[in-house]
Amino acid sequence: MEILFLPDNVTVEAESGEPILDVAERAGVIIPTGCLMGSCHACEVEIDGGQTICACITAVPPGRKKMTINLSVDMDW
């Protein structure tokens, strides 16, 4: 799968089931983290222009060819 990280416009290939934080690190993209359990929401990102998820507990979904991850969801972090 091809993942596009916004606003940096960085594209990287990823495998289904791969942790999003690992994909971001490999791409040189920094996603802030806190608890690493999804409860603090420091790693909150928006996927495909709509759904907001916690990157620390989310993996690359199966069955898709492309995905966009927008890091600029919560500017307070």
Side-chain angles (χ1 to χ4, degrees), residues 11 18 28 30 34 43-44 46 49-50 55 57-58 63 65-66 74:
T11 302
E18 192 174 359
I30 297 172
C43 64
E44 201 167 81
E46 183 181 83
I57 58 169
T58 306
K65 293 184 181 189
K66 291 185 178 184
D74 187 351

Side-chain angles (χ1 to χ4, degrees), residues 2-30:
E2 182 180 275
I3 296 182
L4 170 64
F5 287 98
L6 297 177
D8 301 325
N9 287 321
V10 174
T11 302
V12 66
E13 289 293 320
E15 296 293 324
S16 173
E18 192 174 359
I20 289 179
L21 285 182
D22 291 353
V23 175
E25 182 179 345
R26 189 173 68 249
V29 173
I30 297 172

